Amino acid sequence: MTLSLAFSVPSATDQVWSVGQLNASVKRLFEKHAPNPLWVRGEMVQCKVWSSGHWYFTLRDKRSQVRCCMFGLNAARAGKPPADGTEVYVLGRPGLYEDKGEFQLVVSRVLPTASVGGQQQELERVKLALQQDGLFDLARKRPLPKYASTIALVTSRDGAALHDVATVTRKRWPCARLLVISARVQGDGAVGELVQALRLVNRIPRLDLCILGRGGGAREDLAAFNSEAVCRALAAVRVPTISAVGHETDVSLTDLVADLRAATPSAAAEQAVADRREVARQLADLTARLAGGLASRSRLAEEQLARTADRLHAGVESALQRDRHRLERLGAQLDALSPLRILDRGYAVPVGADGRVLKRRAEFVPGASFRLRVADGDVAARVESP
Amino acid sequence: MSSIADELSRLEEIVRRLEADDVELDAALALFEEGVARLRAARERLGAVELKVQTVLEEAGGDLRYTDLDG
């Protein structure tokens, strides 16, 4: 008796749970069991859209069903709920609605299975069309400018891509100018806005580069970047382009059309602008080479000048030498003509008192004195008789 | 205003010509002076610290309107 009583009422040592504690505990179990969202396939029925924007619906197959809810933000992105009974994939986390103790799937995405098949087909069609038009050709790829200074960024004004590109650019090349052309990058209207933005890029003067970017997101968000219109508008951009749609693994068609694919917007910015520190080093190197270049050029000039001076000196020297020989020759000739050399041979010259040379008999007056110049001097003389 | 790319490629050319021996001394001096001026300009450009971020919108008349963005 006491035994059965012990089973029918809690004993002093038993822990008594509140309902809230129980639900919270089971909720944690779910979270531990499936920490990441799961794709679940089923038929979507009884969808109610609340005024808050949340969707509540049931997902079922032949055997089972599960309650689902999708909250406002995700629901707004999804547009209108598919028709009752549509087969869908949903991405959601299994969980417990604690207030009511109800098991449910908190859904972030709903995709009609037919549209996924359709999307895949459309992707293949666009890919083939672009390929046939040569838009993926490597020969089309343009090199990026080495020192881009004006960069267009086509992305969502509110997305992470803008922040990431601005941060990296600010660090590497703060003298740049970043022009943001805002466009929705997913959902209805994204294709049209992206095409318009890319056309606007072509009207911006003195542009060096264009980045088409988007922050990370789910795969179906890439739809706009796989659209034919966006790909063709990107191919028509007249400056080099980088596609950075924020997906490491998935490749979008704009990645194939752009001149360069970057894994993330940050990586795009790294490729887009030079590094200021690198250019500063380059300038230092140029400064040294400039100074060195002038120094070596002046040294060369000095050497040339020295060589010229040597040649000049040698020239003058040889000219002088030539003149010296000529002078000696002239001196010798002059010497040969000197009258003093004739006196050496025994001739004498009579010179009158007035210093004139006496050449005729009449000039010798008897009794007059004159002088006789001989080789080594002169002697006194007198005329005896006529 | 010429771009930093133009500045750098002209500087490269100046240095290459100075390093070649066949340039006249007068020309070398002129190149050196030009090089110094361009180096100074390039350093000033590089020293600019504020990245300019602007949005571009097309106005009703078709003109482009540039608006500064903070941060």
Side-chain angles (χ1 to χ4, degrees):
Chain A
M1 190 64 195
T2 48
L3 200 68
S4 78
L5 260 179
F7 276 108
S8 57
V9 298
S11 76
T13 53
D14 279 335
Q15 189 192 347
V16 178
W17 297 54
S18 73
V19 178
Q21 283 173 328
L22 173 69
N23 286 2
S25 170
V26 174
K27 186 178 192 246
R28 276 198 299 278
L29 271 181
F30 279 123
E31 282 166 359
K32 209 170 149 197
H33 174 68
N36 296 314
L38 313 165
W39 283 106
V40 183
R41 183 177 179 157
E43 197 181 318
M44 183 174 169
V45 292
Q46 294 159 12
C47 184
K48 289 206 169 63
V49 179
W50 287 52
S51 57
S52 56
H54 307 335
W55 294 3
Y56 291 92
F57 58 91
T58 300
L59 195 66
R60 70 178 185 202
D61 57 19
K62 281 178 188 132
R63 280 187 57 213
S64 315
Q65 61 177 44
V66 61
R67 288 292 298 160
C68 299
C69 72
M70 182 152 79
F71 295 121
L73 205 68
N74 290 319
R77 198 157 50 187
K80 266 168 55 181
D84 202 62
T86 303
E87 192 176 57
V88 293
Y89 297 110
V90 301
L91 183 67
R93 287 170 194 273
L96 193 84
Y97 179 30
E98 281 181 67
D99 292 6
K100 292 196 170 178
E102 280 177 10
F103 169 56
Q104 65 175 8
L105 206 53
V106 178
V107 172
S108 56
R109 221 151 288 280
V110 173
L111 285 176
T113 49
S115 83
V116 173
Q119 270 178 12
Q120 196 59 37
Q121 275 178 9
E122 170 66 3
L123 184 66
E124 292 304 324
R125 183 194 70 74
V126 172
K127 193 171 176 181
L128 193 68
L130 297 177
Q131 202 159 25
Q132 280 171 351
D133 289 349
L135 263 60
F136 302 151
D137 288 359
L138 289 182
R140 265 193 84 248
K141 306 282 179 211
R142 295 163 290 192
L144 302 186
K146 223 170 151 187
Y147 306 102
S149 75
T150 305
I151 298 149
L153 174 60
V154 174
T155 193
S156 161
R157 170 77 195 273
D158 311 311
L162 168 56
H163 173 263
D164 293 351
V165 169
T167 302
V168 172
T169 308
R170 193 171 283 124
K171 202 176 84 197
R172 284 174 67 90
W173 198 248
C175 44
R177 187 170 166 227
L178 194 60
L179 301 175
V180 183
I181 301 99
S182 188
R184 258 186 285 172
V185 292
Q186 60 194 19
D188 290 343
V191 169
E193 287 188 17
L194 284 168
V195 167
Q196 207 171 5
L198 288 167
R199 285 191 185 139
L200 193 66
V201 166
N202 273 347
R203 296 186 45 210
I204 298 173
R206 291 183 299 281
L207 192 64
D208 297 313
L209 188 74
C210 174
I211 299 174
L212 175 62
R214 191 201 66 153
R219 179 155 186 233
E220 58 272 26
D221 284 350
L222 287 175
F225 296 89
N226 286 330
S227 91
E228 185 169 6
V230 171
C231 284
R232 291 195 187 277
L234 182 66
V237 169
R238 53 179 177 75
V239 293
T241 54
I242 303 178
S243 169
V245 299
H247 239 280
E248 295 275 0
T249 48
D250 277 328
V251 175
S252 71
L253 293 184
T254 53
D255 285 341
L256 301 178
V257 170
D259 294 306
L260 189 83
R261 177 205 178 214
T264 61
S266 299
E270 298 261 355
Q271 298 287 330
V273 292
D275 189 342
R276 173 163 59 152
R277 286 161 299 184
E278 216 165 275
V279 175
R281 272 196 294 278
Q282 203 176 339
L283 283 178
D285 173 58
L286 281 167
T287 307
R289 280 171 65 195
L290 189 66
L294 186 70
S296 83
R297 184 61 192 82
S298 351
R299 209 153 41 238
L300 186 76
E302 228 167 83
E303 284 164 12
Q304 278 174 341
L305 206 61
R307 271 203 300 278
T308 310
D310 284 349
R311 288 221 315 267
L312 195 64
H313 189 249
V316 169
E317 192 70 13
S318 82
L320 280 178
Q321 196 70 29
R322 220 166 35 238
D323 286 353
R324 200 149 44 228
H325 286 315
R326 188 161 166 234
L327 212 57
E328 275 168 16
R329 202 171 58 244
L330 286 174
Q333 281 173 359
L334 211 60
D335 200 38
L337 290 173
S338 166
L340 295 175
R341 299 297 297 253
I342 299 165
L343 299 185
D344 271 353
R345 285 182 247 155
Y347 294 91
V349 182
V351 182
D354 55 1
R356 288 192 302 124
V357 174
L358 307 173
K359 298 173 190 169
R360 307 275 171 221
R361 277 189 66 198
E363 289 168 308
F364 291 90
V365 181
S369 48
F370 63 95
R371 300 195 76 81
L372 265 179
R373 185 168 292 168
V374 293
D376 57 348
D378 55 349
V379 293
R382 186 187 304 274
V383 183
E384 288 287 311
S385 63
Chain B
M1 189 165 62
S2 70
S3 73
I4 196 103
D6 295 340
E7 293 285 1
L8 281 170
S9 78
R10 176 64 185 152
L11 272 167
E12 277 286 351
E13 186 191 336
I14 286 171
V15 168
R16 262 201 307 277
R17 286 189 56 192
L18 265 179
E19 284 172 343
D21 287 341
D22 57 357
V23 60
E24 295 289 330
L25 188 61
D26 277 359
L29 282 169
L31 282 171
F32 180 76
E33 278 174 10
E34 186 190 338
V36 168
R38 283 182 188 273
L39 274 169
R40 190 174 300 138
R43 282 220 187 78
E44 274 170 23
R45 295 276 304 276
L46 221 56
V49 285
E50 224 23 70
L51 173 70
K52 202 168 188 181
V53 184
Q54 295 177 307
T55 54
V56 186
L57 280 175
E58 188 175 13
E59 293 192 309
D63 288 342
L64 300 186
R65 185 159 52 93
Y66 299 83
T67 315
D68 286 347
L69 256 185
D70 294 329

